[in-house]
């Protein structure tokens, strides 16, 4: 191997650590800063030997000795003299750099620097020292030095070197640089203090070890063989007030910052507590106001004693004595109004608002048929290979009297276009579709008739509208406030979310109060109790709890037809048809023409009321869609139809779910 090759390899081997150091220097700088933040030292320093970028020759350096002499002064300042010996291997070297960190000090003032016992003057040439700020750095400039040992001295004053702790006046000092790439064979730090003051305790604060020697007016810390980046942080406690009477400026700033942070936290906690109290007040006052406002705007009085709630349409049990059961309507109330009355009763059905559904529409339809105004005809619709034959029903208007009840007139307007021409006809499925889309006309008319009769509260709808408006207004304002608080750029604005959430909850409560606006007047509730007796009679009759007092088939048929509108309005329509078919009443009303009536050669089915039941099937939701149940006598049909009318289309109002054969 040639001498040149060996020299090149030697140079590369020597330069490799410096290259790695340059690569990792930013990372180490960040770590050093992080360390300085979490320590209580007043100085964080770094020594760097620079070879003036002359990398063509081998260079290395170590520190045989690093001594520090500290003299504490009353008032909290410290006079520090550092003496470090560098041995340069190779070279030439031209400068040495010393970084001083002023964290946790009131400032550092450089007094002087020297090399090998010779004082240097400020400047940038060889034989001078240079001081720069941000960070505070001292540079020793000297002529090129190779394979030589030099001693560097630095003297400076640290203001605010002592601070107050619970232990007393405390001095904390980092004797070595936290970051240095070279080894230090020996380090001695001597701390002197005034004669009349005695140290209470002395220790190495950062966990490293050092020999501690106490003299009457000084303490010495000695360490050996310190590796790269090893440092010693010493801590000495003195009696409180012996060196300083007030915290240094930097500690006062920390105390002020901590106090401000505490005040800010207390302020933030107060804001949270205030918003929580406001939110609770909004909830309490808002909910109580909504309840009392609804009650004050709609007082309930005049209810008879012994009211019964949650009876109709809830459970198949009616605590109505035999003396209270009525086998005839207790008044002249139309079937639609009677059904709406029971369906909307607070005392009977635990209802809070007026409820009118398709049951009342069909009841009016049957009442018009009983008066000879409407007729119904069954028609056969041929099927295909995929679809079974089915029945269709046509409604015909035989006449249109000039004097009809308003709700009857409105139902005819839904069924037929208002015309002065002759009789009109429409398919029954069209009626169910039209009723679904135009039911508001009919229900509003029934409602107005009940208003005129004094059965409905005149202020109920107005109160519900007011509650709806107030509720949605509070809900929207609360949502906007809560979203604005959560999306605000200032992190301290989040507590304002709580009042917004409280407004949202109050808005929901106000909207719920609409469901507690009683629809019926006291007179309406009393009348509903009377009609409950008639309802109980029809209910017990359909479920065979009582027997009919009629033995004549004609009288039974007349009873079936006469009370069919009421049974339908009460939600008992399907059970009513099944019951009379089961006891042998097979004659359909005169207004209902089946295929056998129109074509006598067609053999009627065993259950002559089955076409009427099929019509009921066609009226179940969704309106106007054909259903093809297995229609037969008694139980098989009762089970098939109960779901459509007992729970969905009809029985949902009062009778609950249907049942099978009785």
């Amino acid at each position: 191997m040639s001498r040149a090759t060996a020299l090149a390899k030697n140079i590369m081997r020597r330069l490799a650590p410096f290259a790695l150091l340059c690569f990792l220097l930013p990372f180490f700088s960040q770590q050093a800063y992080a360390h300085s933040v979490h320590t209580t030292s007043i100085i964080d320093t770094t020594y760097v030997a620079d070879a003036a970028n002359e990398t063509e020759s081998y260079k290395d350096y170590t520190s045989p000795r690093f001594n520090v002499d500290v003299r504490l002064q009353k008032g909290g300042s410290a006079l520090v003299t550092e003496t470090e010996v560098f041995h340069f291997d190779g070279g030439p070297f031209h400068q040495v750099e010393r970084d001083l960190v002023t964290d946790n000090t009131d400032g550092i003032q450089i007094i002087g620097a020297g090399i090998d016992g010779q004082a240097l003057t400020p400047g940038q040439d060889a034989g001078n020292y240079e001081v720069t700020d941000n960070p505070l750095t001292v540079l020793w400039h000297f002529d090129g030095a190779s394979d030589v040992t030099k001693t560097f001295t630095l003297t400076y004053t640290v203001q605010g070197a002592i601070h107050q702790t619970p232990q007393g006046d405390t001095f904390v000092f980092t004797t070595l640089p936290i970051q240095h790439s070279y080894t230090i064979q020996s380090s001695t730090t001597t701390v002197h203090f005034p004669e009349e003051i005695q140290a209470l305790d002395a220790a190495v604060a950062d966990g490293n070890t050092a020999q501690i020697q106490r003299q009457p007016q000084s303490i010495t810390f000695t360490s050996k063989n310190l590796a790269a980046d090893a440092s010693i942080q010493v801590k000495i406690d003195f009696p409180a007030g012996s060196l300083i009477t007030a915290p240094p400026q930097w500690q006062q700033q920390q105390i002020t910052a901590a106090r401000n942070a505490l005040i800010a936290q207390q302020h933030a906690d107060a804001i949270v507590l205030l918003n929580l109290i406001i939110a609770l007040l909004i909830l309490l006052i808002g909910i109580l106001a909504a309840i009392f406002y609804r009650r004050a705007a709609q007082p309930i009085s005049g209810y008879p004693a012994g009211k019964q709630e949650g009876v109709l349409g809830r459970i198949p049990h009616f605590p109505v004595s035999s003396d209270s059961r009525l086998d005839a309507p207790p008044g002249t109330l139309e079937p639609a109004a009677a059904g709406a009355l029971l369906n909307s009763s607070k005392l009977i059905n635990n209802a809070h608002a007026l409820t009118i559904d398709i049951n009342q529409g069909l009841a009016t339809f049957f009442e018009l048929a009983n008066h000879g105004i409407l007729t119904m005809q069954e028609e056969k619709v041929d099927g295909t290979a995929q679809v079974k034959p089915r029945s269709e029903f046509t409604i015909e208007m035989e006449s249109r009297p000039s004097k009809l009840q308003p709700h009857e007139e409105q139902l005819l307007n839904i069924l037929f276009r208002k015309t002065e021409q002759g009789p009109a006809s429409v398919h029954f499925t069209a009626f169910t579709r039209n009723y679904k889309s135009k039911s508001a006309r009919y229900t509003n008319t029934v409602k107005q008739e009940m208003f005129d009769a004094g059965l409905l509260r005149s202020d109920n709808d107005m109160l519900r509208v007011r509650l709806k408006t107030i509720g949605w207004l509070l809900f929207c304002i609360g949502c906007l406030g809560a979203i604005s608080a959560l999306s605000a750029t200032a992190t301290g604005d989040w507590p304002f979310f709580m009042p917004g959430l409280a407004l949202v909850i109050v808005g929901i409560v106000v909207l719920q109060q609409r469901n507690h606006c009683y629809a019926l007047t006291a007179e309406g509730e009393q009348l509903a109790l009377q009609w409950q007796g008639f309802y109980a009679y029809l209910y017990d009759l359909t479920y065979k709890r009582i027997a009919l007092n009629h033995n004549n088939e004609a009288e039974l048929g007349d009873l079936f037809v006469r009370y069919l509108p009421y049974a339908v309005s009460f939600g008992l329509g399907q059970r009513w048809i099944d019951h009379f078919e089961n006891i042998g009443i097979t004659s359909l009303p005169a207004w209902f023409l089946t295929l056998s009536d129109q074509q006598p050669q067609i053999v009627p089915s065993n259950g002559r009321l089955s076409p009427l039941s099929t019509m009921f099937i066609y009226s179940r939701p969704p309106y106007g869609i054909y259903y093809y149940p297995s229609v037969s006598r008694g139980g098989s049909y009762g089970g098939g139809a109960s779901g459509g009318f007992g729970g969905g289309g009809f029985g949902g109002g009062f009778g609950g779910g249907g049942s099978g054969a009785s």
Side-chain angles (χ1 to χ4, degrees), residues 154-210:
L154 177 64
T155 303
Y156 53 89
T157 301
V158 180
Q159 302 296 332
I162 299 173
H163 63 285
Q164 293 180 343
T165 64
Q167 291 75 27
D169 297 343
T170 300
F171 172 71
V172 178
F173 181 69
T174 301
T175 64
L176 299 176
I178 292 177
Q179 181 182 352
H180 56 88
S181 60
Y182 51 90
T183 60
I184 301 174
Q185 298 176 9
S186 175
S187 176
T188 300
T189 300
T190 302
V191 180
H192 304 271
F193 37 88
E195 295 181 357
E196 66 274 15
I197 298 174
Q198 295 296 323
L200 299 177
D201 187 24
V204 177
D206 62 356
N208 290 327
T209 59

Side-chain angles (χ1 to χ4, degrees), residues 336-337 340 343 355-365 368 395 407-408 410-416 426-447 568-569 618-624 649-650:
N343 204 28
T355 301
I356 302 174
D357 54 27
I358 195 173
N359 288 344
Q360 285 70 57
L362 287 173
T364 302
F365 168 80
L368 291 172
I395 303 173
H407 71 282
E408 295 174 336
Q410 196 60 250
L411 185 70
L412 291 178
N413 292 337
I414 294 176
L415 278 172
F416 311 98
V426 66
H427 286 129
F428 182 73
T429 52
F431 161 61
T432 57
R433 288 194 299 268
N434 290 342
Y435 185 87
K436 179 182 178 181
S437 61
K438 303 175 182 179
S439 60
R441 303 179 184 177
Y442 174 79
T443 57
N444 290 334
T445 304
V446 175
K447 183 188 300 184
V568 171
S569 185
Y618 286 178
S619 67
R620 61 185 290 188
Y623 304 121
F650 291 82

Side-chain angles (χ1 to χ4, degrees), residues 58 66 93 137 206 294 487 568 575 610 628:
Y58 167 74
F66 190 117
F93 293 86
T137 303
D206 62 356
R294 189 261 304 168
S487 60
V568 171
R575 292 291 306 180
S610 296
Y628 312 109

Side-chain angles (χ1 to χ4, degrees), residues 201-229:
D201 187 24
V204 177
D206 62 356
N208 290 327
T209 59
Q211 294 182 356
I212 303 176
Q213 295 180 351
R214 299 182 60 128
Q215 292 84 29
Q217 299 307 129
S218 65
I219 298 177
T220 301
F221 302 85
T222 303
S223 301
K224 300 289 186 181
N225 300 321
L226 297 168
D229 295 335

Side-chain angles (χ1 to χ4, degrees), residues 575-589:
R575 292 291 306 180
W576 185 258
I577 296 173
D578 291 343
H579 172 68
F580 277 89
E581 186 174 5
N582 289 334
I583 65 176
I585 302 302
T586 59
S587 298
L588 286 165

